[in-house]
Amino acid sequence: MSAIPFFVNYGILAAFLVLFLVEVGMAFLAVLNYEKFKGLIMPYIVPIWEVNGTFAVFYVVNLEATYPSLVPAVGTLFVAPLIFSFVIYAVHNGFLAYSEFIEKKEPERLFMVIYGISTLIVAFVAVSMLTSSVSAIGISLKTLSITSYTFFLNGFNIMYFIGIFFLVLTITFILFSVKIISKLLPLVFLVIALVFFFVPTYIYTHYIFNNFLHYYPVFLIIFLLYVVSFLLYYLERYRLVSKALLVLASYASIMYFGVLEYPYFFNGAVNASAATVSGPISVAEDYITVIGGASVVIFMSVFVYLSYFVKEEKIKKVNVTNGP
Amino acid sequence: MFPTEMDRTAIAYSLGIHILFVSISLALPIIMVVAEYIGFKRNNAYFDLLSRRMSKAMVLFFAIGTASGIAVAVELLVLWPGFMGLVASVAILPFYVEVFAFFMEGIALGIYIYSWDKIANRYLHMFFGAMIAFFANLSGVLIIMVNAWMNTPNGFNISAYLENGALTGLNPLSVFGTPSTLIEVMHGLGSTLFTGAFLILTYFAIKFLRAKSTELKYYFKSGLKIALGLVSITFIPVGLGGTLSMGMLGTLEPAKYAALDMNLVPHSNAYEYLFGWKVPIPGLQSILLTGKSLGIVPGLSSFPKSDWPPLFVHTTFDLMTIFGIILGVFIIVSLIAIATRYYISKSRNLKRKPRLSRIFDPVTGSFMTYATVFMGAIAMITLELGWITDEVGRQPWIVYDVVKTYTVSNLSGWVIPLGIFIMVVYSFLAVFTVFMFKRILTDDDILLKLKDYQSRERKISAGEQPATMAEGSK
């Protein structure tokens, strides 16, 4: 039974990460050339950012609720990167909101670049925290402290960050139909990303790699999803299906990593099953997750329906003569 | 400065700014929906535009409020890891429900903003606006529930926990109904909404005073009226909750009560010093707390000195009470003046309109409009004072009578530079947001939008299809 809370928590993390990777892609395009990519990213940036921030809180609270006994250790251990990244996240939110409403062109561009850079900084710190929770490199679980240099600049983290960067490029190029150099570029990016995931996993986290050898058929299915998504993209038919499949494949690949990592954190040092909450609080959380999740899905469906499938109505008559 | 002090300073600073953003985020959607309703019912462009512009401001405040809220959530985890460990085991459910409320608020806001001209039924559009207000305020209620639990903890076997640190007898649902929950929600949510509405009222008052054209004066007056209505309504739970809070503290948090009233020793026939310190009334404090003039009120000497809260909370409490009374008087005078003017405007046989009611009317009397601006600052200070009184008054406990603050703080050396970093970034964001708010909501923009309405009206009269408002309001 303890596998369910683990995967619920991982599922929330995966949803957050997929949305965040999409946002990082948009931020990257904004920094690269805001004027050029503005039209591609602006319709999606606000809805994604809005939900993304909430998923971040959802993940933190769910983590606390699922592993209450780990909370003091996690809080103490990650004090510096967590505070740093979330304060920068506040800056990122602020500048996105400012740019959304600023009328003048110059500050809007500047604000979007600040937004983009702050997003990339948050991404690097967040990836470092996640990879260290997998590899345990640069952290001491005994003293609950991190060694900054090793924490950020270790082979596992750097290679994973490069891998994630290429995954972000893959997602971004297909989701926003970015056409630079060659149509095959997203596929090349995906292959590079996979190399940068496999090598450090093999070198630093043997048990995860062994699990991969055990569950490789699942990987093949996910890879197939990516391939189908690419094919539909190249054929320029069913673009929407292609994008949906890409998002699904990305979500599935993060969940798959969860399967490989289960039931441990910190490279086998912490057993998640032993730290998982049980008893009445766990039951209450399950009910809240189901009811709350269903409500969110309903509201979200209305939002998506209204945003993308309904056209604007004719404006009703509004009388100014009722004024002063 | 030691890490524990920096933990306290950083979280106090972040929360101090966060509650101001939140107070506006709670009141704004209510004013926004009421304006939309009036605009729709009266077919009035000024209220319609007011609502649309408030929704713009709402996005800005939501963005900043969300970001600072996330930062506070993370600060709680990393600055008070031991405390959050206990909360995660016993009192996490309000936080957990709050996440969904937060989700719903964000999605409802998205629907509201992007569907102004997509939902044909305006009541349905207003419904989503009302949902923003509902879920925002629900979040407030849930967070206050956790604070109530910190003041009057329940839901686990406290004696067993104090004895050996074991968490037994868990009842996770009881956190929703601690002995202090109802009163704290009434007072806490009421005062947050009150302050938010007052700050918005102040904004309209300043703009009204500066407005040059009749159109602008009318536009800001429309906002002033709605904000004043909300201020007047929310003052009732603030006053009632505040009065009930003292009775509750006397029973459930006697050390805090004794510090707030500066009772050094427990005694009967206790004096109540009206207005803080000048007017003593014998026995009133005993009557208010126990119902009898000879009833005994708690005193600090009953507790070890190490368990006393810092005694400056007596001053913050007195100031909060005095400012609260001043705000109450201001609201009552305003309402009487409005009622009088309304009565006069209906009585056609009155030849001379009394000058006093004109002066005291906050909507049209310039004296009271100036006073409103001043009162806005008082309301903001009162909210901060109330929050300081509640939090510092509970010290040295983070969970009253169960966990002391210094035992669960993060003692890492990282805390000091990061604490400074938090405060610098927060200050920058706060100042910059006010600056941006000013730039985004310009008066020229209002006049332009009003012209949009006029041209649309002309087009409709001529049988042409006008551009949608969404295009116009970008």
Side-chain angles (χ1 to χ4, degrees):
Chain A
M1 276 301 283
S2 60
I4 294 172
F6 177 91
F7 286 108
V8 168
N9 183 251
Y10 224 97
I12 298 164
L13 174 68
F16 166 68
L17 280 180
V18 170
L19 286 167
F20 190 59
L21 294 183
V22 174
E23 203 185 335
V24 170
M26 289 192 279
F28 178 69
L29 293 180
V31 174
L32 204 64
N33 190 340
Y34 178 62
E35 290 305 324
K36 187 175 177 184
F37 298 113
K38 186 183 173 183
L40 290 178
I41 59 176
M42 285 320 274
Y44 305 98
I45 210 160
V46 171
I48 286 180
W49 147 80
E50 233 183 26
V51 179
N52 204 3
T54 319
F55 260 110
V57 182
F58 190 17
Y59 176 66
V60 171
V61 176
N62 187 270
L63 188 77
E64 290 169 352
T66 310
Y67 308 110
S69 58
L70 295 183
V71 168
V74 171
T76 310
L77 187 62
F78 291 128
V79 56
L82 268 175
I83 286 193
F84 180 78
S85 55
F86 277 92
V87 172
I88 297 294
Y89 194 80
V91 174
H92 137 288
N93 260 25
F95 278 88
L96 180 63
Y98 305 148
S99 70
E100 177 74 2
F101 296 117
I102 198 84
E103 306 267 330
K104 288 185 181 168
K105 206 173 168 185
E106 261 315 298
E108 184 194 347
R109 197 183 152 277
L110 174 71
F111 290 173
M112 281 306 290
V113 171
I114 296 175
Y115 155 79
I117 292 170
S118 54
T119 310
L120 296 176
I121 294 171
V122 172
F124 181 68
V125 182
V127 167
S128 304
M129 278 187 283
L130 288 173
T131 58
S132 74
S133 77
V134 176
S135 69
I137 299 171
I139 59 175
S140 163
L141 290 172
K142 266 188 183 170
T143 58
L144 294 179
S145 59
I146 59 174
T147 315
S148 313
Y149 180 77
T150 330
F151 180 79
F152 288 113
L153 299 176
N154 64 77
F156 188 83
N157 188 33
I158 295 293
M159 280 195 267
Y160 255 81
F161 186 74
I162 295 171
I164 288 169
F165 179 71
F166 278 103
L167 184 63
V168 164
L169 289 181
T170 310
I171 294 171
T172 309
F173 272 53
I174 290 189
L175 275 191
F176 302 107
S177 308
V178 178
K179 288 163 192 157
I180 305 176
I181 305 170
S182 161
K183 267 183 163 185
L184 283 173
L185 216 51
L187 185 60
V188 176
F189 288 153
L190 182 69
V191 173
I192 297 172
L194 287 176
V195 171
F196 277 97
F197 290 142
F198 277 116
V199 173
T201 309
Y202 174 73
I203 298 172
Y204 296 99
T205 53
H206 293 294
Y207 86 95
I208 293 179
F209 198 80
N210 287 339
N211 283 347
F212 165 74
L213 295 177
H214 193 69
Y215 296 116
Y216 74 91
V218 181
F219 169 76
L220 293 178
I221 294 168
I222 295 169
F223 190 73
L224 197 67
L225 270 178
Y226 274 114
V227 171
V228 174
S229 164
F230 288 158
L231 278 176
L232 292 173
Y233 175 73
Y234 296 137
L235 292 173
E236 299 202 351
R237 291 175 67 185
Y238 309 111
R239 276 275 168 94
L240 200 63
V241 180
S242 152
K243 291 174 184 182
L245 277 179
L246 182 80
V247 172
L248 182 68
S250 305
Y251 184 84
S253 52
I254 298 167
M255 285 304 286
Y256 174 62
F257 193 85
V259 172
L260 301 183
E261 197 186 2
Y262 180 77
Y264 300 110
F265 294 127
F266 301 106
N267 211 357
V270 174
N271 189 329
S273 307
T276 306
V277 70
S278 58
I281 202 160
S282 168
V283 177
E285 281 163 20
D286 292 344
Y287 278 114
I288 294 168
T289 307
V290 171
I291 297 167
S295 315
V296 168
V297 168
I298 292 168
F299 254 54
M300 199 60 156
S301 310
V302 175
F303 184 34
V304 171
Y305 173 72
L306 285 170
S307 299
Y308 302 106
F309 298 102
V310 177
K311 291 195 172 157
E312 284 173 356
E313 288 282 320
K314 287 177 184 176
I315 187 75
K316 304 280 177 296
K317 186 179 175 184
V318 185
N319 196 349
V320 281
T321 49
N322 281 352
Chain B
M1 186 177 261
F2 296 108
T4 304
E5 274 68 50
M6 184 46 97
D7 288 333
R8 280 178 166 151
T9 312
I11 196 94
Y13 192 81
S14 319
L15 275 171
I17 290 181
H18 179 66
I19 58 174
L20 290 179
F21 285 132
V22 165
S23 68
I24 295 173
S25 302
L26 296 195
L28 201 54
I30 299 175
I31 293 172
M32 181 178 83
V33 175
V34 172
E36 187 184 356
Y37 177 75
I38 297 173
F40 176 65
K41 286 302 274 186
R42 294 188 188 168
N43 202 19
N44 186 312
Y46 290 84
F47 281 94
D48 192 72
L49 181 61
L50 181 72
S51 176
R52 286 173 191 263
R53 283 168 60 84
M54 288 298 101
S55 69
K56 246 183 171 186
M58 183 65 209
V59 175
L60 189 62
F61 276 102
F62 180 79
I64 305 296
T66 303
S68 69
I70 295 172
V72 167
V74 171
E75 278 177 56
L76 279 174
L77 171 66
V78 296
L79 298 180
W80 310 97
F83 164 67
M84 282 311 287
L86 180 62
V87 170
S89 304
V90 182
I92 195 74
L93 292 187
F95 277 139
Y96 204 58
V97 179
E98 198 264 340
V99 171
F100 289 102
F102 184 31
F103 251 124
M104 301 292 274
E105 182 196 347
I107 300 169
L109 179 63
I111 295 173
Y112 190 81
I113 299 287
Y114 291 106
S115 64
W116 267 104
D117 297 296
K118 287 186 174 182
I119 298 178
N121 184 344
R122 284 297 287 270
Y123 287 111
L124 186 60
H125 187 254
M126 286 175 221
F127 166 78
F128 286 114
M131 286 296 101
I132 304 171
F134 173 75
F135 287 112
N137 283 278
L138 179 64
S139 292
V141 168
L142 291 160
I143 296 298
I144 294 171
M145 280 174 169
V146 179
N147 188 266
W149 177 82
M150 289 161 74
N151 286 325
T152 50
N154 66 355
F156 65 117
N157 186 334
I158 292 174
S159 1
Y161 180 76
L162 290 173
E163 209 167 290
N164 53 23
L167 286 166
T168 53
L170 291 175
N171 180 2
L173 294 178
S174 58
V175 66
F176 292 105
T178 73
S180 63
T181 302
L182 195 62
I183 294 171
E184 266 208 47
V185 167
M186 192 193 294
H187 190 56
L189 187 71
S191 49
T192 312
L193 257 176
F194 173 81
T195 308
F198 221 121
L199 290 175
I200 297 167
L201 178 72
T202 305
Y203 164 77
F204 285 128
I206 294 172
K207 293 301 233 176
F208 177 77
L209 287 169
R210 286 186 180 171
K212 298 269 188 301
S213 69
T214 323
E215 282 91 353
L216 282 178
K217 285 246 179 232
Y218 182 81
Y219 173 83
F220 290 119
K221 201 165 82 174
S222 310
L224 238 152
K225 283 178 184 171
I226 303 174
L228 183 69
L230 186 59
V231 163
S232 310
I233 293 167
T234 49
F235 191 71
I236 299 166
V238 179
L240 189 63
T243 311
L244 294 171
S245 287
M246 282 311 279
M248 177 197 76
L249 287 180
T251 323
L252 301 172
E253 289 181 86
K256 190 195 244 183
Y257 176 92
L260 297 190
D261 257 329
M262 198 57 112
N263 295 330
L264 293 176
V265 288
H267 53 284
S268 62
N269 196 22
Y271 281 44
E272 180 68 44
Y273 292 87
L274 290 187
F275 306 110
W277 57 132
K278 292 290 175 202
V279 190
I281 300 185
L284 183 60
Q285 197 191 140
S286 292
I287 291 172
L288 287 173
L289 187 62
T290 63
K292 293 173 276 185
S293 66
L294 292 176
I296 297 172
V297 299
L300 285 165
S301 63
S302 309
F303 308 93
K305 206 165 180 184
S306 59
D307 286 359
W308 291 10
L311 294 180
F312 73 81
V313 289
H314 171 65
T315 311
T316 58
F317 173 70
D318 277 353
L319 285 172
M320 177 192 75
T321 314
I322 292 164
F323 289 162
I325 291 168
I326 293 171
L327 288 166
V329 170
F330 171 80
I331 291 164
I332 291 166
V333 171
S334 303
L335 292 178
I336 291 171
I338 290 170
T340 313
R341 276 184 76 80
Y342 180 75
Y343 170 74
I344 291 164
S345 68
K346 293 285 169 194
S347 318
R348 289 165 193 273
N349 51 354
L350 273 180
K351 283 183 183 164
R352 269 192 69 207
K353 294 181 178 180
R355 195 152 177 264
L356 267 183
S357 75
R358 203 163 66 234
I359 291 172
F360 283 107
D361 185 341
V363 179
T364 49
S366 58
F367 168 73
M368 280 301 261
T369 317
Y370 278 113
T372 304
V373 176
F374 177 69
M375 289 296 163
I378 298 273
M380 192 169 76
I381 295 166
T382 311
L383 180 74
E384 297 286 3
L385 285 170
W387 172 66
I388 291 168
T389 306
D390 179 43
E391 291 303 301
V392 179
R394 194 185 51 245
Q395 300 305 317
W397 306 97
I398 193 164
V399 179
Y400 189 69
D401 255 355
V402 180
V403 183
K404 287 205 168 162
T405 309
Y406 72 89
T407 61
V408 286
S409 68
N410 193 334
L411 299 174
S412 159
W414 277 105
V415 164
I416 293 171
L418 284 168
I420 295 167
F421 176 63
I422 289 170
M423 288 188 276
V424 170
V425 175
Y426 260 88
S427 307
F428 167 75
L429 271 184
V431 173
F432 204 69
T433 301
V434 173
F435 171 73
M436 285 307 298
F437 189 75
K438 217 178 145 194
R439 276 197 70 171
I440 289 165
L441 299 178
T442 58
D443 294 355
D444 295 346
D445 193 42
I446 298 170
L447 293 170
L448 272 173
K449 295 292 183 297
L450 284 171
K451 276 183 188 159
D452 275 359
Y453 277 99
Q454 280 168 329
S455 71
R456 259 195 313 282
E457 196 183 352
R458 274 197 295 275
K459 283 182 181 175
I460 290 171
S461 310
E464 292 173 37
Q465 174 54 48
T468 61
M469 256 322 284
E471 285 166 30
S473 54
K474 265 177 198 166

